[in-house]
Amino acid sequence: MSTADALAAAADEERRRGLRALLQRQVLAAPDPDLGLVRRHRDHLATVVRDQLGGTLTVTSDTAHLSKVVTLDDARPLRLPPRSQSERAKPVDDRRALDGRAALLLCVVAGVLEHRGWTQVPLGALAEDVVLRARTLELEVDWRTRADRLALGDAIEFLTGLGVLTLRSGVAGEQGSDDEAFYDVHRRRLTLLIADPVRCAEAGAPADLEPRPADHGELAGRVRTRRIVRALVEDPVLYVDDLDPDDRDYFLSQRARLEGLARDLTGLQPERRREGTALIATGRELTDRPFPARGHVKQLALLLLPELCALDAANGSTVARETVDGLVRRLVTEHAAHWAWDPSDPADLGGARDRALAVLVDLRLAADEDGGLRVLPVAHRYRAAVGRRPTTAGTQLGLI
């Protein structure tokens, strides 16, 4: 390999690393080790994000932000930054997330910070303005209520994790004392929080925030390419039967090219089957839904798969709900010494079943149907699953 070829290959790998970091975290701020890669290749990555994924990349001197348009049904939880090493060791989807109240207060806090123009603010002053602003929105906020205090704390913590707020002095979350938290406000990062502020301001209902209809005419092919490549990159698996007729015909006629685009973007290898395509990773750095994992719910889900696949006599068989209940009861009984569920408690069994099946449905390993559970083709990757601790290697099953 010539020196020029080696340099080109190294640049391609840097670009893939930068894109993977953006797909994983969306916001890269100093001192993120991958920020330098994104800044170095900003023009290339911005073009790729726009043309291949239908997103927007904004890069400043100390921040890179990937904005993606998603439907409300596809929105993922807003995860809080881990507080400790033990939290960092947890799978991403087992970490703390903003609840509805905290997400609402996050929006109010961001609006107050934007409106007031602060570069520094004590938490007490911010909290007072949040109450006043909430009243204009017909929201009741009371800091004497523990739930509201915790929700505000989570909202502040989320903004701190994005680098929008930085604790300058005092104790995080403390207000009205000598140790009151005092924050720096990073205004450029604040402006990057909302991808389309005008549209958000004009929205009168959640439906107004949904993506606009796709372009037609000469742009239809590009729009369709973006939609399919993004599905390959971000979804656990792309099933041919899930595509509408036009997208299905386009995908099947352009399959090699579309899979090649997804491979070149991410460095992941497409696995093609008659039913569809999945990108396969040897690590877990790209997924917000790692599977298998150590949590009891995912262990139960993993052990259910060979049982369900054994009952999948025909491709896509539906397993009766009563049969699934029996499988869950047997597995919980067998592993009662290691799991927290009581096999004699119907409520425990029902909760374990519902949570495990939710994992399988979310990862497109199964589909919930009236009266039962339909086994989907990719589930058969795990038909030989055994009850060992999962290693750090695994199948890529979806991105943020």
Side-chain angles (χ1 to χ4, degrees), residues 315-338:
N315 185 32
S317 296
T318 297
V319 180
R321 181 70 63 181
E322 294 78 8
T323 303
V324 175
D325 290 345
L327 294 174
V328 170
R329 186 181 305 106
R330 177 168 63 78
L331 289 170
V332 170
T333 301
E334 289 177 0
H335 297 273
H338 306 287

Side-chain angles (χ1 to χ4, degrees), residues 297 300 321 325 328 347-361 368:
V297 173
L300 174 57
R321 181 70 63 181
D325 290 345
V328 170
D348 262 13
L349 289 175
R353 176 203 62 211
D354 291 345
R355 293 176 66 191
L357 296 189
V359 169
L360 298 181
V361 171
D368 202 357

